[in-house]
Amino acid sequence: MPDKLPTISIPAVEIFRTGKHNNDVYSLADLDSMVDNFSKVSLDPTVKSTKVGHQMGQEELDEQAFTEIFGAPALGYIERIYRKGELLLADIKEVPETFARLVDAGAYRHISAEIYWNYKEGNAVYDRVLKGIAFLG
């Protein structure tokens, strides 16, 4: 069996901010709600290297179909999120060192946050929940 891939943690990554995104307006209260709901739901938000549908001309495939065809390995997991002013920050764990070096070198300059609105889990509904993030090159 090969050696385990070396991983590191990346603290305080800016993943989102208040303002208008995809015609939706996000306030400080929305960011606070995402922070508050982070530990209440059973999701394990992942890190990807690109957003599904943005690569290889696959705009017509939905996320499930893309994953079934190509697979979607996580490049880390969001351990904690918190707000600092108008920014939503994340501490990311289990990031392959090679990918972390690419991020540090500026190969991935943008981050796309995937956010559920009115996420249902059990009998509860959570107004804003972070699903994951994608680093965009």
Side-chain angles (χ1 to χ4, degrees):
M1 179 171 206
D3 292 337
K4 184 178 177 186
L5 183 66
T7 62
I8 64 170
S9 295
I10 306 174
V13 176
E14 179 185 332
I15 62 169
F16 200 70
R17 63 176 50 234
T18 59
K20 191 172 186 177
H21 304 279
N22 296 324
N23 294 318
D24 294 317
V25 176
Y26 290 85
S27 66
L28 291 175
D30 291 322
L31 270 58
D32 288 338
S33 184
M34 283 189 272
V35 170
D36 188 47
N37 293 336
F38 186 81
S39 63
K40 293 179 180 179
V41 298
S42 63
L43 294 175
D44 192 13
T46 59
V47 175
K48 302 175 197 173
S49 66
T50 190
K51 195 168 180 163
V52 170
H54 284 192
Q55 67 258 42
M56 299 183 349
Q58 298 300 323
E59 293 83 3
E60 301 300 317
L61 292 177
D62 65 19
E63 186 168 354
Q64 181 178 353
F66 187 92
T67 301
E68 288 173 5
I69 294 169
F70 298 106
L75 292 171
Y77 297 90
I78 300 173
E79 183 172 36
R80 173 176 87 106
I81 61 173
Y82 49 100
R83 184 173 67 81
K84 183 175 181 181
E86 294 185 351
L87 304 177
L88 187 64
L89 303 175
D91 293 340
I92 304 172
K93 64 180 181 177
E94 300 177 26
V95 179
E97 283 184 20
T98 303
F99 182 71
R101 285 197 304 268
L102 287 168
V103 170
D104 189 49
Y108 296 92
R109 293 185 179 171
H110 304 282
I111 293 178
S112 176
E114 300 169 342
I115 300 166
Y116 283 133
W117 283 48
N118 301 315
Y119 177 74
K120 296 176 185 176
E121 188 171 281
N123 293 326
V125 177
Y126 303 92
D127 57 348
R128 305 286 182 274
V129 173
L130 180 68
K131 176 185 177 191
I133 62 170
F135 280 85
L136 307 174

